């Protein structure tokens, strides 16, 4: 016997929790499969709570300025406005904290949460059928997919060891942190993301080495030219990262680069390395079940809606977005998916 649900949400990043908050408040009694806690998911970067749970400080999520919020309020918000604010209890927020807060907020409105992966879906019949890693079968009238994407890493053990201590795959998330200010940094990759991240980081860094495995960028001409004419960006052509160097106390201090032309190596001092070698959406379980783009992201069928190629299945966040990839845009589309699901269920009379 399987359980029958009105709305099942798969995924537990900002998109999943925003969808759950809105669906719960619309009395849809959502059930969230937040993902399984397995070694495989840990290694792949797909544990519950998503990519934000893998970062440190979050300074760009609206409503959560960094630092001690009490003194921030006192010093930055005018007296009469300050008086009408409820007293608060917390300091600024980290990625894992922000995700726990979203999860709790969804739970407070009655969201039920299962710590398990969905491995199989049947979207050909309605109600839809879902099967989990632990073998649980669930029927759902509507499904919201918010399984996100994972940043690609090079796969070096030294890179893994310094994640969050100088190695990052998100310049917009981490670039402004004090450890990177006025220090030399490296960006790895040659696409639009790499040149965009290098240009962004040049605002904070002393020098940005743009390490690319070929001698020609893949990035669009205009973005490539902007990066290459930036005096703080120094391209390092025909090189790959051989090893990330550093120590336990201070994190990354240098990188060893290997020439793709002759295998020779040299070291450069850096305090941070940013990967921009693409992302992979978490859509393996959806192959052949709904329409994906050539890069395996879920194809949204209608502008400014979260509809997929299967009626009653909605997508939110990075699993359907290879362009913005921000926590706040994911949360926004999660809200949209819940509203779309609510309206669709209403129209169908479910
Ligand atoms: P991408 O275009 O796939 O580029 C990935 C880059 O990483 C390539 O230069 C690739 O080298 C390199 N790379 C891949 N695997 C590597 C490895 N193992 N070791 C070393 N280098 C490796 O990815 P993206 O830059 O993230 O862009 C994704 C999409 O988003 C693109 O369509 C892009 O146009 C779009 N985007 C647009 C903007 C914008 O317009 N503002 C900003 C960001 C992204 P090769 O070149 O040798 O293959």
């Amino acid at each position: 016997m399987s359980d029958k649900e009105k709305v099942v949400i798969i995924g537990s990043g900002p998109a999943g929790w925003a969808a759950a908050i809105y669906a719960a408040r619309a009395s849809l009694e959502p059930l969230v499969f937040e993902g399984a806690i397995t070694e495989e998911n840990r290694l792949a970067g797909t544990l519950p709570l998503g990519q934000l749970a893998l970062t440190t400080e979050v300074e760009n999520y609206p409503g959560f300025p960094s630092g001690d919020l009490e003194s921030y309020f006192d010093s930055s918000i005018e007296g009469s406005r300050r008086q009408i604010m409820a007293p608060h209890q917390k300091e600024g927020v980290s990625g894992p904290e922000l995700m726990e807060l979203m999860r709790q907020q969804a739970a407070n409105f009655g969201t039920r949460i299962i710590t398990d992966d969905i491995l199989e879906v049947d979207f050909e019949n309605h109600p839809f059928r879902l099967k989990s890693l632990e073998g649980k079968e669930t029927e759902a009238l509507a499904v919201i997919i918010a399984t996100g994407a994972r940043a690609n890493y090079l796969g070096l053990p030294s890179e893994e060891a310094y994640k969050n201590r100088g190695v990052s795959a998100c310049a917009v998330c981490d670039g402004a942190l004090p450890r990177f200010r006025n220090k030399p940094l490296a960006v790895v990759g040659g696409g639009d993301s790499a040149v965009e991240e290098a240009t962004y980081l040049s605002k904070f860094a002393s020098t940005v080495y743009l390490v690319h495995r070929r001698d020609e960028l893949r990035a669009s001409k205009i973005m490539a030219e902007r990066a290459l004419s930036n005096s703080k960006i120094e391209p390092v052509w025909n090189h790959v990262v051989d090893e990330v160097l550093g120590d336990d106390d201070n994190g990354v201090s240098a990188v060893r680069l290997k020439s793709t032309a002759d295998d020779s190596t040299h070291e450069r001092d850096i305090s941070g390395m940013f990967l921009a070698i693409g992302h992979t959406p978490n859509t393996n379980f959806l192959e052949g079940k709904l329409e994906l783009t050539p890069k395996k992201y879920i194809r949204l069928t209608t502008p400014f809606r979260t509809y997929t190629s299967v009626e009653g299945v909605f997508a939110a966040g990075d699993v359907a977005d290879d362009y913005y990839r921000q926590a706040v845009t994911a949360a926004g589309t999660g809200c949209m998916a819940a509203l779309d699901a609510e309206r669709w269920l209403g129209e169908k009379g479910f």
Side-chain angles (χ1 to χ4, degrees):
M1 254 309 271
S2 59
D3 298 328
K4 192 183 278 182
E5 301 289 339
K6 289 181 199 155
V7 177
V8 168
I9 297 164
I10 312 172
S12 57
W17 297 125
I21 290 164
Y22 273 77
R25 288 170 60 85
S27 302
L28 294 175
E29 301 162 346
L31 174 67
V32 172
F33 281 88
E34 66 173 347
I37 301 171
T38 60
E39 182 61 7
E40 201 181 339
N41 280 348
R42 193 189 70 75
L43 291 173
T46 53
L47 283 173
L49 305 186
Q51 296 181 77
L52 216 57
L54 303 174
T55 66
T56 48
E57 295 94 327
V58 177
E59 295 183 328
N60 58 6
Y61 198 88
F64 291 92
S66 64
D68 172 0
L69 287 189
E70 189 71 51
S71 46
Y72 183 85
F73 288 149
D74 286 342
S75 64
S76 65
I77 303 212
E78 180 235 308
S80 60
R81 300 188 71 85
R82 183 78 183 91
Q83 278 165 21
I84 56 169
M85 287 170 66
H88 89 100
Q89 291 120 34
K90 275 199 101 277
E91 295 210 337
V93 81
S94 73
E97 283 171 346
L98 184 56
M99 295 320 302
E100 289 293 347
L101 289 171
M102 288 192 197
R103 184 183 191 275
Q104 190 55 47
Q105 195 174 357
N108 290 349
F109 291 118
T111 300
R112 289 156 303 135
I113 301 165
I114 295 182
T115 308
D116 199 359
D117 280 334
I118 292 296
L119 287 194
E120 277 175 49
V121 294
D122 172 3
F123 291 155
E124 283 186 359
N125 300 296
H126 197 264
F128 306 122
R129 296 182 72 85
L130 312 169
K131 194 168 176 190
S132 79
L133 175 68
E134 290 180 8
K136 181 177 169 56
E137 296 201 12
T138 306
E139 288 189 323
L141 296 175
V143 174
I144 295 172
I145 304 171
T147 46
R150 52 192 190 276
N152 296 338
Y153 284 87
L154 298 165
L156 299 169
S158 56
E159 169 194 61
E160 178 69 29
Y162 293 117
K163 271 186 191 168
N164 281 345
R165 286 186 304 154
V167 171
S168 166
C170 183
V172 180
C173 316
D174 299 332
L177 296 177
R179 69 164 291 126
F180 300 127
R181 290 200 177 239
N182 301 314
K183 303 273 174 49
L185 304 175
V187 172
V188 185
D192 280 330
S193 292
V195 295
E196 193 171 65
E197 303 229 325
T199 304
Y200 179 81
L201 290 169
S202 69
K203 292 184 215 155
F204 312 105
S206 56
T207 305
V208 181
Y209 301 117
L210 182 59
V211 180
H212 186 34
R213 60 187 177 184
R214 296 186 292 130
D215 64 357
E216 191 188 10
L217 294 173
R218 173 183 296 281
S220 56
K221 201 159 178 266
I222 184 161
M223 289 178 65
E225 277 171 3
R226 193 178 305 143
L228 295 177
S229 64
N230 184 325
S231 60
K232 280 195 180 174
I233 299 178
E234 185 182 319
V236 184
W237 303 117
N238 299 315
H239 278 79
V240 292
V241 174
D242 195 40
E243 201 74 76
V244 186
L245 308 170
D247 60 59
D248 285 350
D249 292 337
N250 302 309
V252 174
S253 61
V255 68
R256 188 166 68 233
L257 300 175
K258 184 162 90 174
S259 162
T260 52
D262 58 15
D263 279 352
S264 62
T265 61
H266 73 278
E267 287 179 15
R268 301 226 175 180
D269 289 343
I270 55 164
S271 67
M273 178 176 92
F274 289 80
L275 283 310
I277 58 171
H279 284 73
T280 303
N282 299 317
T283 53
N284 279 353
F285 69 112
L286 298 170
E287 287 276 354
K289 308 292 180 175
L290 47 63
E291 229 181 282
L292 302 177
T293 68
K295 290 182 188 163
K296 307 291 183 195
Y297 288 81
I298 296 177
R299 187 186 294 287
L300 298 180
T301 56
T302 312
F304 226 75
R305 296 287 182 272
T306 61
Y307 307 163
T308 70
S309 59
V310 177
E311 223 194 303
V313 178
F314 305 87
D318 288 12
V319 74
D321 172 18
D322 69 351
Y323 191 78
Y324 294 107
R325 300 191 306 235
Q326 301 299 304
V328 66
T329 53
T333 56
C335 159
M336 290 161 65
L339 295 176
D340 286 344
E342 181 191 2
R343 281 174 198 160
W344 183 79
L345 289 166
E347 280 163 20
K348 295 284 167 190
F350 291 129

